[in-house]
Amino acid sequence: MTILARREFVATIVTLAGTALPFGIGGSDDDQDAGPDDRLDDADAELTGVVDRIERDLAVVLLEREEETVAQRLVQLDRLPASARDDGAVLSVRLSDGDIERLRHDAAATRRRREAARERLNELAEDAS
């Protein structure tokens, strides 16, 4: 089984089973407990979210506080703003009782992060020359 086939299999199982992972699917009525690796110390928060990857109809969103990843959530793709349905998109995330209440695309922050990443890659390429 190839890696892509495995990812599709896992995404299908998660979609069919609800949540069998140690973190919840954003916005559902299911328990949003992200397990022992979830370092959110309050249930109501304004955080930065970054779309880590998209697999089928789910997005893995990393939740950050002060540029440190503190948790992750699975979010149905149709809940993301259309402009944020891309790896690396930066979101403003509002949590209420641990559940994702609001997602807003931060286009300016997305552009800044992508430019910074390009600059780092260019510096690494120059150093390797």
Side-chain angles (χ1 to χ4, degrees):
M1 184 180 285
T2 67
I3 292 173
L4 182 58
R6 285 186 202 143
R7 286 184 179 172
E8 289 181 35
F9 174 76
V10 170
T12 300
I13 295 300
V14 169
T15 300
L16 294 174
T19 180
L21 300 174
F23 46 86
I25 296 176
S28 72
D29 292 329
D30 297 332
D31 182 15
Q32 287 290 313
D33 181 20
D37 293 330
D38 189 338
R39 292 178 281 161
L40 291 175
D41 54 7
D42 52 9
D44 295 332
E46 290 280 342
L47 301 167
T48 298
V50 179
V51 177
D52 182 56
R53 65 189 177 280
I54 296 172
E55 297 181 5
R56 301 187 110 200
D57 60 345
L58 293 174
V60 177
V61 177
L62 304 179
L63 300 178
E64 297 179 350
R65 179 178 285 133
E66 297 175 15
E67 297 183 23
E68 179 183 350
T69 301
V70 294
Q72 66 181 7
R73 294 288 189 269
L74 288 177
V75 177
Q76 292 291 332
L77 195 57
D78 61 0
R79 287 209 57 220
L80 287 179
S83 60
R85 295 178 185 169
D86 202 12
D87 295 354
V90 179
L91 304 160
S92 171
V93 180
R94 171 78 181 141
L95 293 182
S96 178
D97 293 328
D99 294 334
I100 294 177
E101 179 179 286
R102 185 197 75 228
L103 296 164
R104 290 194 181 138
H105 183 213
D106 187 338
T110 300
R111 280 191 300 276
R112 284 192 302 272
R113 282 193 187 214
R114 288 183 175 155
E115 182 58 33
R118 270 192 291 278
E119 288 175 10
R120 283 193 300 270
L121 285 173
N122 288 339
E123 289 172 9
L124 288 172
E126 289 173 8
D127 290 346
S129 308

